[in-house]
Amino acid sequence: IKTMIKYGYSHIPVLNENKLIGVFSENTIFTIYNSDHNILNKENIILNDISYYLDINNHQTECFAFIHENYHVSKIIKRFKRRKENNKRLTIFFITKNGSINSELIGMITPYDALIK
């Protein structure tokens, strides 16, 4: 969290062997506090303690999309401008070789990267 604040990161991908297994975000803390704030009282929290909240399918207010490495920038901008997909805010495009969640993560694009206002 200190590193996120220091560098202005809002989301951190959680990887296992270069494959995305979850996302830690500012919203993760709020969701944990709202659901089971006793976890936050632990002195040393490890990722396994909050793994349920990191799962990309368990984010309550945000969603993530997977795209292949040749996905056109105009499509990214158009989807970010829509703001919501499935009643959740589209927060990050994760880039993989073939656009699959099961592929190695190459990179990610946020609305700030795409200069969406």
Side-chain angles (χ1 to χ4, degrees):
I1 293 173
K2 288 178 183 178
T3 302
M4 289 175 73
I5 292 169
K6 180 178 179 181
Y7 294 104
Y9 298 146
S10 60
H11 294 76
I12 304 288
V14 180
L15 306 175
N16 184 10
E17 297 182 10
N18 292 329
K19 293 185 182 172
L20 186 77
I21 59 168
V23 177
F24 181 82
S25 71
E26 298 162 333
N27 288 327
T28 305
I29 298 298
F30 290 116
T31 303
I32 293 170
Y33 184 81
N34 187 46
S35 301
D36 184 5
H37 61 272
N38 289 328
I39 292 174
L40 300 176
N41 292 330
K42 289 179 70 173
E43 188 165 327
N44 293 307
I45 301 171
I46 59 173
L47 289 178
N48 195 46
D49 294 335
I50 60 171
S51 62
Y52 173 83
Y53 302 100
L54 300 175
D55 186 302
I56 63 168
N57 297 307
N58 295 334
H59 286 249
Q60 295 178 353
T61 60
E62 55 193 2
C63 66
F64 313 97
F66 288 82
I67 57 175
H68 57 81
E69 61 186 342
N70 295 314
Y71 199 82
H72 200 276
V73 174
S74 65
K75 291 181 181 180
I76 292 170
I77 292 171
K78 187 181 283 187
R79 285 180 67 186
F80 272 139
K81 283 185 176 181
R82 267 192 265 149
R83 298 279 184 214
K84 290 196 173 193
E85 292 191 6
N86 302 321
N87 285 332
K88 294 183 179 185
R89 181 173 43 96
L90 178 58
T91 307
I92 296 174
F93 281 98
F94 288 108
I95 306 164
T96 65
K97 200 115 180 117
N98 62 6
S100 165
I101 188 174
N102 298 316
S103 297
E104 185 175 319
L105 185 65
I106 297 172
M108 60 189 237
I109 300 173
T110 70
Y112 300 105
D113 299 321
L115 299 174
I116 303 300
K117 292 184 181 191

